[in-house]
Amino acid sequence: MNPIMSKSDAAALVVAARIRRGVTWAEIAGEIGAPVVWTTAALLGQHPMTEEQARRVCEFLGLEEAVAESLRLQPARGADPALMSDPTIYRFAEALSVYGPALKELIHEEFGDGIMSAINFRVDVSRRPDPDGDRVVVTFDGKFLDYRW
């Protein structure tokens, strides 16, 4: 019996197949009927897919069953420290280090003592035209969870 393919190896095969076939992440998400950001994160190894989702993605991209098997596994979530050197990812960390304390204060002021869930969570990315250069709009939409003492 062959060992299970790692999520990072499966992700690399998904990315290569997507590029080779000339399809977008949005097209893949449409194929499985799931949000594009969630689908992309799942295919990059951060969420488990259902058997049906994994099968459909692999059929769509022409990938083998070993990839589908890996896509169904529970991930070890979180950022690989090497990813923090990527400029796009680092800018998110930088933005949160600058604005995180203010956002925390504003959340507490508006909602009370608690946190924004990253489990019951939606995220979206879009483009907004601007005369000084297009803007990236990232929306985090998390359920408020109050601390209960």
Side-chain angles (χ1 to χ4, degrees), residues 9-144:
D9 287 346
L13 291 171
V14 166
V15 169
R18 184 190 70 78
I19 292 167
R20 192 170 29 259
R21 292 189 179 247
V23 297
T24 65
W25 293 109
E27 289 170 323
I28 298 169
E31 183 67 22
I32 64 169
V36 66
V37 177
W38 181 91
T39 300
T40 306
L43 293 172
L44 294 177
Q46 292 299 305
H47 300 297
M49 296 187 120
T50 66
E51 187 171 342
E52 176 67 11
Q53 289 170 327
R55 182 190 60 75
R56 287 180 70 184
V57 164
C58 288
E59 285 176 2
F60 186 65
L61 295 176
L63 294 168
E64 62 186 275
E65 172 58 30
V67 175
E69 183 178 61
S70 178
L71 292 174
R72 294 189 306 264
L73 296 175
Q74 285 294 323
R77 288 186 176 93
D80 176 343
L83 289 177
M84 290 309 294
S85 65
D86 177 88
T88 303
I89 295 170
Y90 176 76
R91 290 303 172 264
F92 279 100
E94 179 183 42
L96 285 175
S97 72
V98 171
Y99 293 103
L103 292 169
K104 177 185 185 296
E105 287 294 323
L106 293 168
I107 288 168
H108 287 271
E109 183 176 83
E110 178 70 22
F111 294 92
D113 188 17
I115 61 169
M116 177 182 71
S117 173
I119 295 171
N120 188 334
F121 190 75
R122 295 180 192 102
V123 61
D124 192 31
V125 63
S126 61
R127 175 190 296 245
R128 188 179 74 226
D130 187 282
D132 290 331
D134 288 357
R135 310 289 294 183
V136 177
V137 179
V138 178
T139 304
F140 286 174
D141 180 350
K143 179 180 180 182
F144 179 74

